[in-house]
Amino acid sequence: VQLPKSGRPYVIGSDVCAIVTEVAPDEKHFEVGDKIIARFDEPQPHGMCAEYACVKAIFSEKCPASIPANEACTLPASAAAARLVAQTLVQPDSRVLLLGASGGLGTFMCQYIKLQGASYLAATTTQAELVKSLGVDRVIDYRIENWWELELAEFQYQPFDLVVDLVNGQNWQKGGCSGTKILKGKETTYAQLLCGVETEMDATGLKVIPLMFGMLG
């Protein structure tokens, strides 16, 4: 069983696929015997490789029996986080720019952004065919084009409602603050992932919406 943080040995593990053995008295979504995936709810992941782990229901989801456990345990920090971010920020018929579409989080984000009802999705990546297969309408190869310099008619006259930055770097300084015509000024939300799922996602700049991955439930 997992020891306290200060205890030894330290139990590693961040995400898990497991069978529910006990639930809180007021729990209505899960029951004993359910196969679930779950993720950590603190900046420093630990404990999921223990025999038993206590997880919060809001950071868990039922897992289809058809998905093997060794594959399902890779989903919580990427797929679940992408779903929650998309549900929080993406509005129906919105135009979205995703920076960094081909990573673990980005590939799921592409799909959930579309499922959430976005009418148009542009994305930066070096893997064009991959992200196109995930529903991206316009691929931007950042090795060739800077997204903030794309003063094209398709973007100028139909600017983006939301920018989701999974890359960090200088995207915000060069793009979000640049006054580029492809954003709607104060009507655009720029959401920047600061340090991955270990810390937080912060929507800064044009609309300030602080978000913690551990609070998106």
Side-chain angles (χ1 to χ4, degrees), residues 107-126:
T107 51
F108 285 109
M109 190 71 75
C110 291
Q111 299 170 77
Y112 279 115
I113 286 173
K114 280 293 194 172
L115 287 172
Q116 198 62 25
S119 61
Y120 186 87
L121 173 60
T124 63
T125 183
T126 58

Side-chain angles (χ1 to χ4, degrees), residues 40-64:
F40 56 87
D41 61 338
E42 298 179 8
Q44 297 180 346
H46 61 90
M48 291 303 192
C49 287
E51 183 178 0
Y52 294 94
C54 183
V55 298
K56 295 181 179 179
I58 59 172
F59 305 136
S60 307
E61 188 54 81
K62 292 181 179 179
C63 177

Side-chain angles (χ1 to χ4, degrees), residues 39 53 55 67 81 87 90 96 98 106 108 141 207-208 212:
R39 59 192 173 92
V55 298
I67 303 179
Q87 289 177 341
V90 178
V96 181
L98 176 63
F108 285 109
D141 187 335
K207 282 187 179 179
V208 181
M212 294 291 290

